[in-house]
Amino acid sequence: ALIEDGRVFSEIFPVRFDEVGPDKACTMRTVASMMQECACNHIQAMWGKGQSSPAEMRSNNQAFVCTQMHIEVHEYPRWGDEVEVKTWVEVERSVSARRDFELVLCDGPEGTCRAVGAATSRWVAFDVAKRRMVRIPKKTTEDVTNYHALLNNYIMGEDYVMPKLLDVRNTNLPLSQPKAFTGDRLDLDMNGHVNNVVYTEWILESVPVDMWTDYQLCELDIEFKSECGYGDVIAAV
């Protein structure tokens, strides 16, 4: 549903059996999947069923892709819970847009509701044929700003800046043993490259088992620097 005068999209997600671990709590991968689904459904609400971009972008074979994401989880929903995910967008520059998220959990029909997670992300326009970034069309920027965007509403605060991540291969940090993954057919999305959520899964699988025993993951920063396709072999460390 569109709320806040049509500038915020809200969707309820049940936490399903195959989305939780041995502790019956959902994983960061599940959180990322919920947010991705909510964002995609918001796009359909803006530009029509089955459409991932406005007409002026589709006519030029362009789509939006995510380049950065920061996720914070204060409490992981559990099996049987229902989570409300809210998302809103703002085009801040001609080359990128910001999309924010909030996750809200309510205890039963008359229970109290509380925010359990938040995220912010950066999106750019992508030429599907040439496989490179392009400027967001002026008409798209104007339409989003005038009719769809929730302006100046920063889930992480107005002064938040997404961190520039280090290339760990060029540091002296102790690295885990590489864990190899292959881009399979089921990993690909409509743009023909490995879906964003799959990267989250690969990253988390590289974390040593004893870390999961002693710690709980509360924040995740991802920077998508290059696309992966079918058959590509990826080493996660």
Side-chain angles (χ1 to χ4, degrees):
L2 287 167
I3 59 176
E4 302 284 343
D5 295 324
R7 295 178 180 269
V8 174
F9 188 81
S10 171
E11 187 167 359
I12 304 294
F13 292 91
V15 179
R16 299 176 296 187
F17 178 80
D18 67 342
E19 295 175 329
V20 302
D23 60 354
K24 296 185 179 180
C26 71
T27 63
M28 182 66 84
R29 190 233 190 262
T30 301
V31 171
S33 181
M34 288 177 178
M35 292 191 303
Q36 177 179 259
E37 185 68 14
C38 187
C40 292
N41 290 337
H42 185 202
I43 289 172
Q44 290 191 96
M46 289 191 288
W47 293 314
K49 182 179 179 181
Q51 305 301 334
S52 60
S53 56
E56 61 270 14
M57 291 183 64
R58 296 197 302 273
S59 64
N60 291 314
N61 206 17
Q62 297 171 354
F64 279 107
V65 296
C66 184
T67 58
Q68 287 179 286
M69 177 167 279
H70 173 85
I71 307 174
E72 295 182 3
V73 179
H74 316 302
E75 175 187 349
Y76 284 94
R78 302 179 65 79
W79 181 36
D81 285 340
E82 290 189 341
V83 184
E84 180 185 17
V85 181
K86 300 176 183 177
T87 186
W88 55 95
V89 67
E90 179 176 358
V91 179
E92 296 179 315
R93 299 189 296 273
S94 61
V95 294
S96 69
R98 187 192 79 253
R99 177 177 286 279
D100 288 348
F101 301 85
E102 183 180 41
L103 279 69
V104 177
L105 180 63
C106 297
D107 293 325
E110 299 178 357
T112 57
C113 298
R114 59 197 181 277
V116 295
T120 189
S121 57
R122 184 76 57 194
W123 296 72
V124 300
F126 181 75
D127 188 309
V128 177
K130 297 179 180 179
R131 317 306 290 181
R132 61 182 177 85
M133 293 186 295
V134 295
R135 287 187 175 274
I136 300 172
K138 183 178 179 181
K139 186 178 186 306
T140 298
T141 299
E142 292 174 347
D143 287 349
V144 170
T145 300
N146 294 334
Y147 306 110
H148 304 296
L150 186 65
L151 304 177
N152 302 315
N153 196 305
Y154 305 89
I155 192 69
M156 298 296 178
E158 187 174 356
D159 297 328
Y160 174 81
V161 177
M162 284 195 180
K164 190 70 175 177
L165 300 182
L166 293 172
D167 185 337
V168 296
R169 296 168 299 177
N170 298 328
T171 69
N172 294 321
L173 295 172
L175 302 181
S176 65
Q177 289 296 315
K179 193 172 181 67
F181 297 93
T182 302
D184 295 327
R185 287 176 299 168
L186 293 178
D187 295 328
L188 305 184
D189 61 20
M190 290 185 292
N191 294 321
H193 55 211
V194 172
N195 184 275
N196 293 346
V197 173
V198 175
Y199 288 93
T200 307
E201 194 172 77
W202 290 349
I203 290 169
L204 299 183
E205 280 297 322
S206 73
V207 177
V209 174
D210 57 350
M211 292 289 291
W212 295 108
T213 302
D214 299 333
Y215 299 94
Q216 185 177 65
L217 179 64
C218 62
E219 291 187 54
L220 183 66
D221 280 301
I222 303 180
E223 185 177 349
F224 299 100
K225 306 184 76 169
S226 181
E227 61 177 336
C228 300
Y230 175 71
D232 288 343
V233 178
I234 307 301
V237 296

